Amino acid sequence: MNAQLIQFAYLASAVLLIVGMRNLGSPKTAPRGNLIAAAGLLVAVVATLLVQGVVSYGTILAGIVVGSAIGVVLATRIQMTAMPQMVALLNGFGGGASALVASAELLSYVRVGEEPTGIVPLAIVLGVLIGGLTFTGSLVAFAKLQELVSGAAVVYPGQQFVNGLLALITLGLGAAMVMNPLGLDPYFGMVALALLLGVLLVIPIGGADMPVVISLLNSYSGLAACATGFVLGNAGLVISGSLVGASGIILTKIMCDAMNRSLGNVLFGAFGAVDQTVSAGASGGEQRTAKGYTPEDAAVIFSNARSCIIVPGYGMAVAQAQHAVRELSDLLESKDISVKFAIHPVAGRMPGHMNVLLAEADVPYENLVEMDQINSEFPETDVALVIGANDVVNPDARTDKGSPIYGMPILDVDRAQHVFVIKRSMNPGFAGVQNPLFFNDNTMMIFGDAKGVALKLVEAVRDLS
Amino acid sequence: MNAQLIQFAYLASAVLLIVGMRNLGSPKTAPRGNLIAAAGLLVAVVATLLVQGVVSYGTILAGIVVGSAIGVVLATRIQMTAMPQMVALLNGFGGGASALVASAELLSYVRVGEEPTGIVPLAIVLGVLIGGLTFTGSLVAFAKLQELVSGAAVVYPGQQFVNGLLALITLGLGAAMVMNPLGLDPYFGMVALALLLGVLLVIPIGGADMPVVISLLNSYSGLAACATGFVLGNAGLVISGSLVGASGIILTKIMCDAMNRSLGNVLFGAFGAVDQTVSAGASGGEQRTAKGYTPEDAAVIFSNARSCIIVPGYGMAVAQAQHAVRELSDLLESKDISVKFAIHPVAGRMPGHMNVLLAEADVPYENLVEMDQINSEFPETDVALVIGANDVVNPDARTDKGSPIYGMPILDVDRAQHVFVIKRSMNPGFAGVQNPLFFNDNTMMIFGDAKGVALKLVEAVRDLS
Amino acid sequence: MLDNPAAALTIFVLAIFVGFEVISKVPPLLHTPLMSGSNAISGITIVGAILAAGSEERTLSTVLGFVAIVFATINVVGGFLVTNRMLSMFKKKPDRA
Amino acid sequence: MLDNPAAALTIFVLAIFVGFEVISKVPPLLHTPLMSGSNAISGITIVGAILAAGSEERTLSTVLGFVAIVFATINVVGGFLVTNRMLSMFKKKPDRA
Ligand SMILES: NC(=O)c1ccc[n+]([C@@H]2O[C@H](COP(=O)([O-])OP(=O)(O)OC[C@H]3O[C@@H](n4cnc5c(N)ncnc54)[C@H](OP(=O)(O)O)[C@@H]3O)[C@@H](O)[C@H]2O)c1
Ligand SMILES: NC(=O)c1ccc[n+]([C@@H]2O[C@H](COP(=O)([O-])OP(=O)(O)OC[C@H]3O[C@@H](n4cnc5c(N)ncnc54)[C@H](OP(=O)(O)O)[C@@H]3O)[C@@H](O)[C@H]2O)c1
């Protein structure tokens, strides 16, 4: 096909990707948006197959078939609660592919003996570096989330010094390559170090901070694709890569803001390792006990309630309790109790995680209300039902300047008339701090697994009427 | 300066323009946004002065000095009520400049005897065509708004056929030029026809529809700049031109939506000529009379009111009544009456026109409330004070399917406890339709010039207490 | 720089997207200054005018270029100044409220 | 097409702007599908992989290209499918309400 035409095809593909992303902005148009974006990618692939010089269709087809098979299996088997690790894994493959492409280009320059010019050497180095780091980093994140390895932050003395040193050496090797692109020794060193750095930079980050890391790595994988775009002089790659780069950065920032932590603190703060003990001490001076209640106790209160706000958290995801919760909410609605769901931006382990789980359980999305919209409603609400959430409902974030989560915006459940909290124990949540909510007079703790308790609540409410 | 560097300067300039436009999004950052955009243009100009081959600095400086002097005088002398014609005039100059640049480029190709290639001939034709049309069209719009000529729509039989024919011939000449860029005969014909078309296309449009036309011409002037960008192979021009093109289209669409009319109807409907009589008949079947009241009557009602919403319209602008209105609102507030301003998107003769006038009179912008936000408040409001507005408060738009403004979103003043309407007579507004609001039992008409009546109201309210 | 039509078109399309996204976020409150401000930006064609007027020889092209500079400068200077004048009038509520 | 670094950079910068504007409009409700969807798009690098794997000779480059195709395809196919699965779960309230 005419080279010009192919470039217009890439432009069309980029437009489809942009239009698709725009359609992702509303639940009504989002499925179509996803299809449009996929069509955009398809256009790019088809256009590429028509590039002169692309001839080994067998190899290409084999690769696509193998990749598609794996992709289909992953996408259809994965449970909704496991989305964070799914995204991590896929992201790793994307980064790895970019690193491989940049490497392949370098090797063919070397084979032909022609020196790359202009921005190409730099782009090759960035593609290999960012892509490689994304690859191993994402795999470690996956392993932590899938609990193949411990999710705890792995820290040791001098860690940041070692990482800093390695990063410097890697950059040095990269610079050497830019100077002399055809010398392969620095290349191999750089690849090895980039892969190592991906591991080392992610292990000190606690399991629950993984989504921030994944989002950041997602941004990186976009930038790596962008770099290969510069290597190949392909505007389609540059545009799509930039889109992903921007998207990842924005989501990272949203998560950090919603936790009131800086990105630096997430990446280097080793939250979930040292901090935990320190902070648990901070508010745990006096030793108070919270009273446990039974689902039957709660049912009595429900029988007089007119309104209920359900606050789901990470525990609901772990317990796979979304369907039971949905059942409960249907039951309450059938008793003329208005039910809404209050969704904190970082409830769970991924931004928007709770929305997906509840949508899976057929909760209509109009009932999923964002934090800012619903906070004013708690004082007029009879029951706030907290299911496996902890940090996102910790009033210390509002009042206790000493708390490590001070300043994090929270859901004001403590202002509701009654608060029920379902969790298994008095153990703290991800941030490792005690939650004074549990000791309030209007709080009833109902200990147990989220799913089990939700089902018992259903029974108890049903029995009462 | 190095050619590459200059291109990076253009990129920097484009980034400044984009960032500037983004800052225009909020009243707090907008003044800074305007400065950033101006800085962006300055960067582009300076970079251009450093281009090799640019040598006649005397000529350039002379042009800039003359242009700046005129620009400064215009910008500082113009009254806020005359903004629509000011924008029209400036816009005409922009379009004219683009047409001149495209022509100059064509002439230098001809002089050198070198045939332009690729997209350049098409870009030249588009630059001349769109730029020329924008130039004369904007000047006619200016003349109508400034009342140098009658604002009425000029229509004659066969008008659209003639215009269509001329447009076809113009396009034919353009096509001839693209085929044979160095033949100058079609060029001169095309220029003449483009200038003529600008006039002919705008005269059938009524004075009050001018803002839509101006906004559309604004978009055109951007596209003309974009075309010269393609002619010169200058990305800075392409980017900035596209920004303006997009901006004009969006504003045009907003205005059409707010009037519930299609762009085609605005451009070819000759609103303000024929329709007027037809539609006046439509709702004027029975002959009712509205009762006139004095400002003193109104003051009595104000003495018992707690809340007032002021609805300004075109009449307030014409009467230059904004300062008097501000005085009235201050007085009412000092009597513990809450005062808000309800701003209809097309009140006045330009989108956002009322906001600028009231801002000029020092009304804080938090008090200027958009239609969608304020409509629900009318039923709980004691007094809706309509000042020189008519169509934007016509309840027929909600209820009378036969009305030409049926479907246009309006301000629901008729739902307030009392409605005062200040205007000079029972004459209809721009759309030429009677307004049943004036005959409602809870409506008091106060006839007179908006400024005079507002000042009398101030006195009367003051005297009463 | 834009010898390659595909690159030029790509830039054009992306800029249109940016324009639509950025402009559609501007609230109605500011539509008049937005109109005059974006109008001023269309004076960017002054860049082309300088290139046309700036060459050594005095030909018809440079004359057209000179007129174009005057026109474009009026548009730019007038546009930004009047926008600035308008914007400086928008004020927040003073403490009296 | 991007032989000219300025054009390439211009496209990059504009695309970043488009990305920021478009993404920041997506509501929190849809952040998880947004993440998986944009993740799938990063698989666009499959284009580069095809170019690398597609040449006639069987060199180390084509082998790397083959692996890259597999990786990128997993990313693309898995990403879009799982996003689709998620999005198809988001439903409006049925009439019962
Ligand atoms: N969403 C994101 O994007 C994101 C990203 C990074 C970090 N984070 C962090 O993650 C945290 C999210 O807050 P969150 O309130 O959702 O969760 P959380 O604070 O981590 O608390 C979850 C609670 O669920 C309980 N739980 C665990 N398994 C359970 C089960 N099977 N049944 C019942 N309860 C169970 C746990 O208590 P028991 O052990 O007593 O049962 C725990 O206290 C925040 O600190 C946030 O900063 C979120
Ligand atoms: N803003 C835009 O962007 C835009 C664009 C295109 C079209 N339009 C159209 O313009 C109209 C705007 O509606 P509008 O309600 O603001 O204006 P309008 O419907 O045109 O009515 C203005 C009223 O002000 C009165 N008036 C004129 N001079 C006055 C004076 N000196 N003192 C007191 N009253 C005076 C007139 O009545 P008397 O003669 O009896 O005094 C007239 O009825 C709409 O039809 C809209 O579609 C607006």
Side-chain angles (χ1 to χ4, degrees):
Chain A
M1 193 156 87
N2 180 308
Q4 276 285 347
L5 266 183
I6 288 176
Q7 293 180 356
F8 286 117
Y10 284 139
L11 177 55
S13 142
V15 169
L16 286 172
L17 288 174
I18 294 173
V19 172
M21 296 279 260
R22 292 192 70 189
N23 277 294
L24 274 186
S26 122
K28 243 176 287 172
T29 56
R32 184 175 67 208
N34 189 50
L35 288 184
I36 296 175
L41 257 160
L42 189 65
V43 168
V45 168
V46 171
T48 311
L49 290 175
L50 300 175
V51 167
Q52 279 188 345
V54 171
V55 283
S56 325
Y57 291 106
T59 320
I60 295 171
L61 198 70
I64 292 182
V65 168
V66 174
S68 300
I70 302 178
V72 170
V73 170
L74 282 177
T76 46
R77 291 274 169 85
I78 196 84
Q79 283 197 320
M80 283 303 139
T81 40
M83 273 313 297
Q85 49 267 50
M86 171 76 176
V87 172
L89 189 64
L90 292 179
N91 195 45
F93 286 126
S98 289
L100 287 169
V101 171
S103 303
E105 283 298 310
L106 175 68
L107 293 183
S108 52
Y109 274 111
V110 171
R111 199 166 46 83
V112 181
E114 176 202 328
E115 185 129 333
T117 56
I119 204 164
V120 176
L122 180 64
I124 290 180
V125 168
L126 288 177
V128 172
L129 209 66
I130 303 176
L133 190 150
T134 304
F135 180 58
T136 51
S138 299
L139 291 185
V140 172
F142 167 76
K144 284 199 172 204
L145 286 168
Q146 188 70 9
E147 292 176 358
L148 303 180
V149 303
S150 150
V154 176
V155 285
Y156 48 85
Q159 187 171 32
Q160 299 197 18
F161 175 76
V162 172
N163 288 352
L165 197 70
L166 286 178
L168 271 183
I169 299 178
T170 318
L171 288 181
L173 291 174
M177 272 200 62
V178 174
M179 301 297 162
N180 174 18
L182 299 188
L184 277 183
D185 291 346
Y187 164 75
F188 290 117
M190 198 182 69
V191 171
L193 279 176
L195 295 176
L196 184 63
L197 263 178
V199 176
L200 292 183
L201 288 173
V202 176
I203 54 167
I205 303 173
D209 271 341
M210 275 311 125
V212 185
V213 178
I214 294 172
S215 181
L216 193 66
L217 290 174
N218 189 10
S219 175
Y220 286 176
S221 73
L223 295 178
C226 208
T228 61
F230 280 102
V231 174
L232 299 162
N234 184 313
L237 276 172
V238 171
I239 297 174
S240 329
S242 320
L243 284 179
V244 180
S247 146
I249 289 286
I250 290 179
L251 286 175
T252 307
K253 182 161 161 28
I254 287 173
M255 277 188 269
C256 290
D257 287 354
M259 300 192 294
N260 195 35
R261 287 164 63 196
S262 71
L263 183 56
N265 177 285
V266 172
L267 296 183
F268 307 117
F271 223 67
V274 259
D275 279 39
Q276 203 144 317
T277 48
V278 179
S279 49
S283 73
E286 78 222 87
Q287 200 56 41
R288 294 185 294 169
T289 39
K291 278 163 289 170
Y293 290 81
T294 63
E296 287 72 24
D297 299 332
V300 174
I301 290 184
F302 268 128
S303 66
N304 290 314
R306 298 266 57 84
S307 56
C308 170
I309 296 179
I310 300 181
V311 179
Y314 175 62
M316 185 191 80
V318 177
Q320 296 269 23
Q322 61 269 33
H323 298 279
V325 170
R326 158 74 201 276
E327 207 177 315
L328 178 60
S329 99
D330 280 357
L331 179 63
L332 293 176
E333 283 195 329
S334 77
K335 297 198 172 305
D336 273 333
I337 302 177
S338 85
V339 180
K340 289 181 187 167
F341 290 82
I343 310 293
H344 190 281
V346 294
R349 288 292 178 266
M350 193 172 185
H353 198 180
M354 293 298 128
N355 297 305
V356 173
L357 293 181
L358 291 170
E360 188 196 9
D362 279 331
V363 176
Y365 58 78
E366 294 101 324
N367 286 5
L368 309 174
V369 190
E370 284 172 38
M371 179 168 66
D372 295 340
Q373 260 100 65
I374 207 157
N375 258 346
S376 59
E377 296 187 21
F378 281 109
E380 280 102 56
T381 299
D382 295 326
V383 177
L385 174 59
V386 178
I387 305 183
N390 191 342
D391 299 339
V392 299
V393 294
N394 189 335
D396 269 354
R398 266 197 332 254
T399 50
D400 178 5
K401 295 213 169 148
S403 170
I405 61 171
Y406 178 72
M408 163 169 159
I410 61 154
L411 288 163
D412 298 333
V413 290
D414 54 321
R415 294 185 173 153
Q417 303 304 313
H418 300 272
V419 185
F420 303 160
V421 178
I422 304 179
K423 65 198 296 281
R424 295 165 308 179
S425 65
M426 287 302 286
N427 289 346
F430 163 62
V433 295
Q434 253 319 338
N435 191 338
L437 172 75
F438 304 159
F439 305 102
N440 282 354
D441 287 340
N442 65 340
T443 303
M444 295 170 71
M445 302 297 297
I446 312 176
F447 293 108
D449 175 74
K451 186 169 177 181
V453 172
L455 291 174
K456 277 198 211 122
L457 261 176
V458 169
E459 253 173 61
V461 171
R462 206 174 268 144
D463 285 355
L464 253 191
S465 52
Chain B
M1 192 157 89
N2 178 308
Q4 275 286 346
L5 267 183
I6 289 177
Q7 293 179 356
F8 285 118
Y10 285 137
L11 177 55
S13 144
V15 169
L16 286 172
L17 288 174
I18 295 173
V19 171
M21 296 279 260
R22 293 191 70 188
N23 277 292
L24 274 185
S26 123
K28 243 177 287 172
T29 55
R32 185 176 67 207
N34 189 49
L35 288 183
I36 297 176
L41 256 160
L42 190 65
V43 169
V45 168
V46 171
T48 311
L49 291 175
L50 299 176
V51 167
Q52 278 186 348
V54 171
V55 282
S56 323
Y57 290 107
T59 320
I60 295 171
L61 197 69
I64 292 182
V65 167
V66 173
S68 300
I70 302 177
V72 169
V73 170
L74 282 178
T76 48
R77 291 274 169 84
I78 195 85
Q79 282 196 322
M80 283 304 139
T81 38
M83 274 313 297
Q85 49 266 53
M86 172 76 176
V87 172
L89 189 64
L90 293 178
N91 194 45
F93 286 127
S98 289
L100 287 169
V101 170
S103 302
E105 282 298 310
L106 174 68
L107 294 182
S108 54
Y109 273 111
V110 172
R111 199 168 44 83
V112 180
E114 178 202 325
E115 184 129 333
T117 56
I119 203 164
V120 174
L122 180 64
I124 290 180
V125 168
L126 288 177
V128 172
L129 210 66
I130 304 177
L133 191 151
T134 304
F135 180 57
T136 50
S138 299
L139 291 185
V140 172
F142 167 76
K144 284 200 172 202
L145 287 168
Q146 188 69 12
E147 293 175 358
L148 302 180
V149 302
S150 150
V154 177
V155 283
Y156 48 85
Q159 186 170 32
Q160 297 197 18
F161 174 76
V162 173
N163 288 351
L165 196 70
L166 287 178
L168 271 184
I169 299 178
T170 318
L171 288 181
L173 291 175
M177 273 201 61
V178 174
M179 302 296 162
N180 175 18
L182 298 189
L184 277 183
D185 291 344
Y187 164 76
F188 290 117
M190 197 182 68
V191 171
L193 279 177
L195 295 176
L196 184 63
L197 263 180
V199 176
L200 291 183
L201 288 174
V202 175
I203 53 167
I205 303 174
D209 272 340
M210 276 310 126
V212 185
V213 178
I214 294 173
S215 181
L216 192 66
L217 290 174
N218 190 11
S219 174
Y220 286 177
S221 73
L223 296 178
C226 207
T228 62
F230 280 102
V231 174
L232 298 163
N234 184 313
L237 275 172
V238 172
I239 297 174
S240 328
S242 322
L243 284 180
V244 180
S247 145
I249 289 286
I250 290 179
L251 286 175
T252 307
K253 181 161 162 29
I254 286 172
M255 276 188 270
C256 290
D257 287 353
M259 300 191 293
N260 195 36
R261 287 165 63 197
S262 71
L263 182 56
N265 177 284
V266 172
L267 296 183
F268 308 116
F271 222 66
V274 259
D275 279 40
Q276 205 144 315
T277 47
V278 178
S279 49
S283 74
E286 78 223 88
Q287 199 59 40
R288 294 184 294 168
T289 39
K291 280 162 290 169
Y293 291 81
T294 64
E296 287 71 24
D297 299 331
V300 174
I301 289 183
F302 269 129
S303 67
N304 289 315
R306 297 266 59 85
S307 56
C308 171
I309 296 180
I310 300 181
V311 178
Y314 175 61
M316 185 190 80
V318 176
Q320 296 270 21
Q322 62 270 31
H323 297 278
V325 170
R326 159 71 201 274
E327 207 176 314
L328 178 62
S329 99
D330 280 358
L331 179 63
L332 293 176
E333 283 195 329
S334 77
K335 297 200 173 302
D336 273 335
I337 302 177
S338 84
V339 180
K340 288 182 188 168
F341 290 81
I343 310 293
H344 190 281
V346 294
R349 288 293 177 266
M350 192 172 183
H353 198 181
M354 293 298 127
N355 298 305
V356 173
L357 292 181
L358 292 170
E360 187 196 9
D362 278 333
V363 176
Y365 59 77
E366 295 100 324
N367 286 5
L368 310 175
V369 190
E370 285 170 38
M371 180 169 64
D372 295 340
Q373 260 100 66
I374 207 158
N375 258 345
S376 60
E377 295 187 22
F378 281 108
E380 278 103 55
T381 298
D382 296 324
V383 177
L385 175 58
V386 177
I387 305 183
N390 191 340
D391 299 338
V392 299
V393 294
N394 189 336
D396 270 354
R398 265 197 331 254
T399 50
D400 178 6
K401 294 214 168 150
S403 170
I405 62 170
Y406 178 72
M408 164 168 158
I410 60 155
L411 288 163
D412 297 333
V413 289
D414 54 320
R415 295 185 172 154
Q417 303 305 312
H418 300 272
V419 185
F420 303 160
V421 177
I422 304 179
K423 66 199 294 283
R424 295 164 309 178
S425 65
M426 287 302 286
N427 288 346
F430 162 62
V433 294
Q434 255 317 342
N435 191 337
L437 171 75
F438 303 160
F439 305 101
N440 280 356
D441 287 337
N442 65 341
T443 301
M444 296 169 70
M445 301 298 296
I446 313 175
F447 292 109
D449 175 75
K451 188 169 174 181
V453 173
L455 291 173
K456 278 197 208 122
L457 260 177
V458 168
E459 253 173 60
V461 171
R462 206 175 266 143
D463 284 355
L464 252 191
S465 53
Chain C
M1 150 170 199
L2 298 183
D3 325 332
N4 183 322
L9 201 71
T10 304
I11 290 174
F12 175 66
V13 170
L14 287 175
I16 293 272
F17 269 112
V18 174
F20 270 102
E21 297 292 340
V22 170
I23 304 296
S24 54
K25 273 189 193 148
V26 178
L29 177 69
L30 294 170
H31 277 168
T32 294
L34 170 66
M35 203 156 155
S36 62
S38 71
N39 185 4
I41 292 180
S42 70
I44 181 81
T45 195
I46 189 173
V47 163
I50 293 176
L51 293 175
S55 68
E56 188 101 55
E57 329 100 90
R58 197 151 299 273
T59 62
L60 188 53
S61 291
T62 61
V63 176
L64 292 185
F66 174 77
V67 182
I69 290 183
V70 175
F71 276 18
T73 311
I74 297 177
N75 188 355
V76 170
V77 173
F80 280 127
L81 275 185
V82 85
T83 308
N84 192 47
R85 228 182 104 195
M86 272 190 273
L87 289 174
S88 62
M89 295 181 325
F90 282 88
K91 282 178 213 80
K92 270 188 89 72
K93 207 174 243 166
D95 24 335
R96 78 182 156 100
Chain D
M1 149 168 201
L2 298 182
D3 324 330
N4 183 323
L9 200 69
T10 303
I11 290 173
F12 175 65
V13 169
L14 287 176
I16 293 272
F17 269 111
V18 174
F20 270 104
E21 297 293 340
V22 170
I23 304 297
S24 54
K25 274 189 194 147
V26 178
L29 176 69
L30 294 171
H31 277 168
T32 295
L34 171 65
M35 203 154 155
S36 63
S38 71
N39 185 4
I41 292 180
S42 70
I44 182 80
T45 197
I46 188 173
V47 163
I50 293 177
L51 293 175
S55 67
E56 187 102 54
E57 328 101 273
R58 197 150 298 273
T59 62
L60 188 53
S61 291
T62 60
V63 176
L64 292 185
F66 174 78
V67 182
I69 290 182
V70 176
F71 276 19
T73 311
I74 297 177
N75 189 356
V76 170
V77 174
F80 281 125
L81 275 186
V82 85
T83 308
N84 192 49
R85 228 183 103 194
M86 272 190 273
L87 289 174
S88 61
M89 296 183 323
F90 281 89
K91 283 179 212 81
K92 269 188 91 73
K93 206 175 242 161
D95 25 336
R96 76 182 160 100

